[in-house]
Amino acid sequence: MADQERTSQQGSGMMTGAQILLESLQKVGVDTVFGLPGGAVLPLYDPLFDSPIRHVLVRHEQAGGHAAEGYALATGKVGVCIATSGPGATNLVTPIGDAYLDSVPMVAITGQVNSAFIGTDAFQEADIRGITTPITKHNFLITNAADIPAAIKTAFHIASTGRPGPVLVDVSKDAMTALAKFVWPDKIVLPGYKPTTNPHARQLAQAAKVIAKAERPLLLVGGGVVRARAAHELAEFVKVTGIPVTTTLPARGVFPEDSDLNLGMPGMHGTVAAVGAIQRADVLIAIGTRFDDRVTGLVSSFAPHATVIHADIDPAEIGKNVPAAVPIVGDARKVLAELTSHLKETKQVDRSTWTDYVTGLEHRYPVGWEEPTTGKLSPQHVIKRIGEHFGDDTIFVTGVGQHQMWAAHFLPFEKPGKWLSSGGAGTMGYCVPAAMGAKVGRPDKVVVGIDGDGSFQMTNQELTTCAVNHIPIKIAIINNNTLGMVRQWQSLFYEHRYSNTDLHSDQLPNFPMLAEAMGAVGLRATTPDEVTEVLKKASEVNDRPVVMEFVCEKDAMVWPMVAAGVSNDEIKIARDMAPEWDEEEL
């Protein structure tokens, strides 16, 4: 009966809204979606059964959202996730918020109750459009099947242009079942949406003049440079100017780590060289970054001597947190290319004293660690070994916590686009599903997730998704038996009162057994020799997921550190130890 109805519809040129939706997704180039069906979205799942679009059935909607993020970041395409109404849709709020803060192009498609029931508190009804308005670039409520093509085309355009970000398309159940003709719009009409990609010539010329005269300039490179695929332009700019570089957490890898001019990551857990250089720079060139509090510390004392040049594709970010003397609105790739063109023709001052100073800081205050005396593994050593073993062509994904900061310091960052981590939202549980999405998007690459025992337990069910769908990711659990970053703050600021941070994960769960139960290979290392053996075994498995548990020291801490709300000048390299700034003056 259903087959007869489909044949009749096709013969009349009519399609259901659900069929129109799938046709629209194919038109914009979608080949993979991550989702979980439910009543309100069931009309979409029926034609999806016959669709060439690959559907990865996740075990939780939040994971579907993070998988769409991982797919987007690994491929450069728009990630897509699907959920049903009510709790299905609200489970997408966290990944939507994560994508919004980290500028990830994503379209979330949600089912909604019949349009006649909207606003009646119907079963599994939620005003997901209202809920997500603050954390999406735009969102739609579709109650008419004929409106679907234009909404999908517009949603993908908005998600992928300007500053990338998430867009929600909420479709009522009756819109999915209603019949309409498929009409693909020739153009998109968005009078209020015109992102500025070409930087203004006058602002570029002014910035070039300031840079040419700067004696102590510094680049602060953010995730916007990664999103703009501007690594080559950044390298050319540095080659022409010789200006030292700091890269924020989302920008790790966009400039080679082995360069003497790469000072590392700035901010709360940044390097002494990066933080010290910011505080002493006379010109700060910020490209594709938003000056969040983790980078600035106490804003009033941030970069106190610097003339700030701030370039960003989102004009709302310029001057929002740190005043900009020279604002530039535009695409990071074009900004860097045109600044380089200006400066090639301009005489610049000798900066050798400055570069010697900041690279000297880097050599005198390297990021390191103390080996534990308890016999447990050093988490920093484990992460460094992971990076050395798998190499710089690996896509590395992290959860959130201490392991994330150690990974940001000790992994090999020589190539752009190989680093996925939740920055702005700091979402625990990000690692496993984001790694899954990255591997789906780039099956040719080795994808290694580095997760904490706390973060891993939030979304580890997606190992089953990976096993069933033949997605062979590799997950390393840094098991320190605690919520490590919270414990670190309790150690430093709460007199060692460890309230509710002990996870007892040295006892439960048994991570290798849990992995095996979900179709993955489970491995464990407790000694340095076992670390080597576990990494070797993990490399040999390419037909299913692998979980590597590393039993690590509980009280290892992330250093350097700037406490929240204080000046970056107060950076500590270890407990009660700070750089000798009086001896380090230029």
Side-chain angles (χ1 to χ4, degrees):
M1 182 66 179
D3 290 338
Q4 292 175 353
E5 288 179 0
R6 290 190 192 100
T7 303
S8 175
Q9 292 162 13
Q10 291 166 359
S12 66
M14 303 294 278
M15 302 169 68
T16 67
Q19 291 170 325
I20 290 172
L21 179 51
L22 290 175
E23 185 71 18
S24 299
L25 292 177
Q26 288 181 249
K27 281 280 191 181
V28 293
V30 173
D31 54 27
T32 305
V33 298
F34 303 88
L36 189 67
V41 81
L42 202 54
L44 178 61
Y45 272 80
D46 181 60
L48 185 59
F49 186 79
D50 302 312
S51 172
I53 295 174
R54 180 185 184 186
H55 180 274
V56 178
L57 175 61
V58 295
R59 270 52 185 172
H60 192 284
E61 292 92 352
Q62 179 184 346
H66 292 318
E69 288 187 272
Y71 177 92
L73 293 177
T75 63
K77 299 167 67 176
V78 177
V80 183
C81 54
I82 299 175
T84 193
S85 63
T90 58
N91 280 341
L92 286 178
V93 170
T94 294
I96 289 171
D98 191 274
Y100 184 74
L101 283 170
D102 283 357
S103 304
V104 180
M106 183 173 84
V107 170
I109 298 168
T110 52
Q112 183 55 273
V113 299
N114 283 333
S115 57
F117 295 153
I118 293 175
T120 69
D121 293 332
F123 177 67
Q124 290 194 335
E125 180 194 358
D127 179 11
I128 193 61
R129 190 181 184 199
I131 290 168
T132 60
T133 292
I135 53 170
T136 52
K137 286 188 71 177
H138 193 66
N139 57 31
F140 299 84
L141 172 60
I142 307 299
T143 58
N144 187 327
D147 296 336
I148 292 173
I152 293 297
K153 186 171 184 176
T154 303
F156 276 75
H157 175 72
I158 293 173
S160 58
T161 56
R163 178 180 177 177
V167 177
L168 175 86
V169 181
D170 193 33
V171 188
S172 67
K173 188 173 184 178
D174 53 324
M176 291 190 199
T177 57
L179 295 176
K181 286 190 176 182
F182 177 80
V183 179
W184 189 246
D186 294 329
K187 60 181 180 178
I188 296 170
V189 181
L190 288 169
Y193 182 71
K194 294 181 180 178
T196 300
T197 57
N198 296 316
H200 198 286
R202 187 187 308 130
Q203 299 304 100
L204 288 168
Q206 184 181 356
K209 283 183 181 179
V210 172
I211 293 168
K213 295 177 182 177
E215 296 179 351
R216 304 186 308 278
L218 182 69
L219 271 161
L220 176 60
V221 175
V225 178
V226 179
R227 302 292 182 267
R229 301 283 199 262
H232 172 73
E233 287 74 15
L234 174 62
E236 286 296 305
F237 179 86
V238 175
K239 182 179 178 181
V240 167
T241 63
I243 294 175
V245 179
T246 66
T247 55
T248 64
L249 179 72
R252 304 297 285 143
V254 77
F255 189 74
E257 192 77 8
D258 62 3
S259 169
D260 289 339
L261 291 175
N262 190 331
L263 306 182
M265 184 174 71
M268 175 174 280
H269 290 296
T271 66
V272 171
V275 172
I278 286 174
Q279 294 303 95
R280 284 149 186 78
D282 63 355
V283 171
L284 185 62
I285 308 150
I287 312 285
T289 186
R290 56 191 176 83
F291 291 112
D292 72 289
D293 62 295
R294 285 301 191 258
V295 167
T296 63
L298 184 65
V299 176
S300 60
S301 65
F302 176 75
H305 313 293
T307 298
V308 175
I309 299 168
H310 190 181
D312 202 288
I313 199 164
D314 184 354
E317 292 296 345
I318 297 177
K320 185 176 79 174
N321 295 324
V322 172
V326 185
I328 304 173
V329 179
D331 177 78
R333 181 188 289 185
K334 294 180 178 181
V335 169
L336 285 164
E338 295 193 31
L339 281 177
T340 302
S341 180
H342 275 281
L343 290 164
K344 276 182 179 177
E345 310 299 327
T346 306
K347 184 178 180 180
Q348 300 178 58
V349 300
D350 178 21
R351 300 179 180 121
S352 56
T353 301
W354 169 242
T355 55
D356 287 347
Y357 170 71
V358 293
T359 55
L361 286 178
E362 193 173 17
H363 292 304
R364 284 190 290 280
Y365 299 102
V367 179
W369 67 86
E370 292 183 1
E371 287 295 330
T373 58
T374 59
K376 295 285 182 71
L377 290 170
S378 158
Q380 300 96 323
H381 168 78
V382 169
I383 291 171
K384 190 172 180 63
R385 285 287 297 114
I386 291 170
E388 291 169 346
H389 181 84
F390 288 103
D392 60 19
D393 199 41
T394 300
I395 295 176
F396 289 105
V397 188
T398 76
V400 169
Q402 287 180 311
H403 65 278
Q404 178 189 29
M405 296 296 103
W406 289 320
H409 284 301
F410 299 119
L411 289 178
F413 293 108
E414 306 302 328
K415 298 179 181 180
K418 307 294 184 185
W419 166 252
L420 281 64
S421 194
S422 172
T427 304
M428 292 178 69
Y430 174 88
C431 178
V432 174
M436 174 175 68
K439 185 64 176 177
V440 170
R442 294 299 306 272
D444 57 315
K445 295 294 182 185
V446 175
V447 177
V448 176
I450 298 176
D451 217 349
D453 48 321
S455 189
F456 175 77
Q457 290 185 74
M458 292 188 174
T459 50
N460 62 59
Q461 75 280 344
E462 300 308 320
L463 287 173
T464 302
T465 307
C466 291
V468 168
N469 290 278
H470 309 291
I471 305 169
I473 60 174
K474 305 179 195 300
I475 302 296
I477 304 173
I478 306 301
N479 183 3
N480 59 0
N481 190 32
T482 187
L483 296 171
M485 189 62 85
V486 185
R487 182 183 174 88
Q488 175 164 331
W489 281 53
Q490 289 172 331
S491 296
L492 296 173
F493 309 119
Y494 292 89
E495 299 177 348
H496 301 273
R497 290 165 56 84
Y498 300 121
S499 174
N500 292 285
T501 46
D502 193 337
L503 291 170
H504 302 285
S505 38
D506 57 341
Q507 304 166 36
L508 293 172
N510 182 315
F511 288 116
M513 288 181 66
L514 179 64
E516 295 283 349
M518 290 192 281
V521 174
L523 306 170
R524 174 182 286 145
T526 59
T527 69
D529 287 343
E530 289 176 347
V531 170
T532 301
E533 184 62 24
V534 162
L535 293 174
K536 181 176 180 295
K537 287 181 179 178
S539 293
E540 295 168 351
V541 178
N542 294 300
D543 61 345
R544 50 187 167 148
V546 180
V547 172
M548 304 167 277
E549 179 194 9
F550 299 96
V551 180
C552 292
E553 167 59 35
K554 192 173 191 174
D555 285 310
M557 290 196 183
V558 181
W559 299 108
M561 181 177 179
V562 180
V566 306
S567 170
N568 280 344
D569 289 321
E570 297 184 41
I571 188 171
K572 297 287 193 297
I573 54 177
R575 189 194 291 267
D576 301 323
M577 291 180 63
E580 298 292 339
W581 290 125
D582 290 342
E583 299 176 14
E584 296 291 351
E585 290 304 318
L586 277 164

